[in-house]
């Protein structure tokens, strides 16, 4: 009798544990979906609010604008100085005013850069030496800049600034990555 009772109790504990685990997973998925919907709503709300202001976008000093945006996102006064732009992969290299940090801006995220690094070495040997984006250390501080953290007019201003600083068309860039590498 004791053995049957122990088996029944063990089975009940296992079944209840599985049910609780399944319920927790459903809750996690629902919370993730809610977070995604909230982020999409915030972006759409900002797009609607800025529609009126879009006609007045001007770019007098793109490097000062980029420095303000980078400072806002990173929380550190960077006072950027332009160094060089690169075509393939697209990147913009700046040095912080204190000369202690190298700052790279690129439309490529960390995963895309890692994928590019994993391509055949022979292909990248002629590009990798020239482009600092492909020689970033693994422990570089990365920030994603978008209208959510860099200002309501960020994507429109980014297109103007990118064109003026690099001479390249920004296309439909809405986000850009900033990589801060300390010397």
């Amino acid at each position: 009798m004791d053995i049957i009772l122990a088996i029944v109790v063990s089975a009940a504990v296992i079944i209840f544990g599985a049910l609780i685990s399944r319920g927790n997973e459903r809750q996690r998925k629902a919370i993730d979906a809610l977070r995604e919907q909230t982020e999409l709503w915030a972006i759409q709300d900002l797009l609607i609010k800025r529609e009126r202001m879009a006609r007045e976008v001007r770019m007098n000093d793109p490097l000062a604008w980029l420095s303000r945006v980078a400072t806002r996102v990173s929380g550190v006064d960077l006072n950027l100085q332009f160094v060089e732009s690169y075509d393939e992969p697209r990147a913009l290299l700046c040095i912080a005013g204190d000369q202690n940090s190298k700052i790279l801006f690129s439309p490529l995220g960390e995963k895309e850069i890692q994928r590019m690094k994993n391509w055949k070495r022979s292909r990248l040997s002629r590009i990798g030496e020239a482009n600092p984006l492909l020689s970033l250390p693994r422990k570089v501080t990365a920030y994603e800049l978008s209208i959510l953290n860099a200002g309501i007019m960020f994507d429109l201003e980014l297109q103007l600034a990118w064109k003026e600083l690099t001479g390249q068309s920004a296309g439909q860039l809405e986000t850009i990555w900033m990589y801060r590498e300390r010397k």
Side-chain angles (χ1 to χ4, degrees):
M1 186 67 165
D2 289 336
I3 294 175
I4 295 174
L5 184 60
I7 292 173
V8 169
V9 168
S10 297
V13 167
I14 291 171
I15 290 171
F16 286 134
L19 289 173
I20 289 170
S21 178
R22 188 172 179 196
N24 287 346
E25 181 63 21
R26 284 180 44 200
Q27 273 186 330
R28 185 194 62 78
K29 286 180 182 178
I31 289 170
D32 284 347
L34 184 60
R35 182 193 50 78
E36 286 177 24
Q37 289 299 318
T38 303
E39 188 174 293
L40 289 174
W41 173 84
I43 289 172
Q44 288 301 320
D45 185 51
L46 288 174
L47 290 172
I48 290 169
K49 287 179 181 177
R50 74 186 191 129
E51 207 47 51
R52 214 176 301 128
M53 298 185 304
R55 294 181 190 99
E56 301 170 7
V57 174
R58 303 282 183 270
M59 185 61 54
N60 295 330
D61 186 359
L63 190 58
W65 172 82
L66 191 60
S67 186
R68 279 192 310 273
V69 168
T71 297
R72 181 184 310 159
V73 172
S74 69
V76 178
D77 186 17
L78 296 174
N79 191 21
L80 297 177
Q81 299 172 3
F82 177 75
V83 175
E84 192 172 355
S85 68
Y86 299 89
D87 291 337
E88 202 52 49
R90 294 193 300 176
L92 176 66
L93 174 63
C94 296
I95 300 291
D98 61 5
Q99 305 294 323
N100 287 335
S101 300
K102 184 167 60 169
I103 313 292
L104 281 163
F105 295 93
S106 176
L108 301 175
E110 292 176 288
K111 291 179 183 177
E112 295 166 293
I113 293 170
Q114 193 58 40
R115 256 186 262 127
M116 289 178 75
K117 286 181 179 180
N118 291 336
W119 283 353
K120 292 182 182 176
R121 291 290 175 197
S122 62
R123 266 187 175 171
L124 291 178
S125 62
R126 61 181 182 260
I127 297 172
E129 295 170 6
N131 195 313
L133 194 61
L134 297 174
S135 61
L136 279 176
R138 287 199 181 270
K139 300 218 176 198
V140 67
T141 307
Y143 303 92
E144 183 179 15
L145 287 69
S146 70
I147 63 173
L148 293 177
N149 62 358
I152 193 168
M153 303 300 286
F154 174 75
D155 59 334
L156 299 173
E157 293 169 334
L158 172 63
Q159 291 179 18
L160 296 173
W162 191 267
K163 175 75 173 164
E164 195 163 326
L165 289 171
T166 65
Q168 306 167 359
S169 172
Q172 294 299 318
L173 279 182
E174 293 181 1
T175 62
I176 194 167
W177 287 84
M178 179 177 84
Y179 302 97
R180 184 170 179 225
E181 180 183 347
R182 292 183 183 260
K183 291 184 180 179

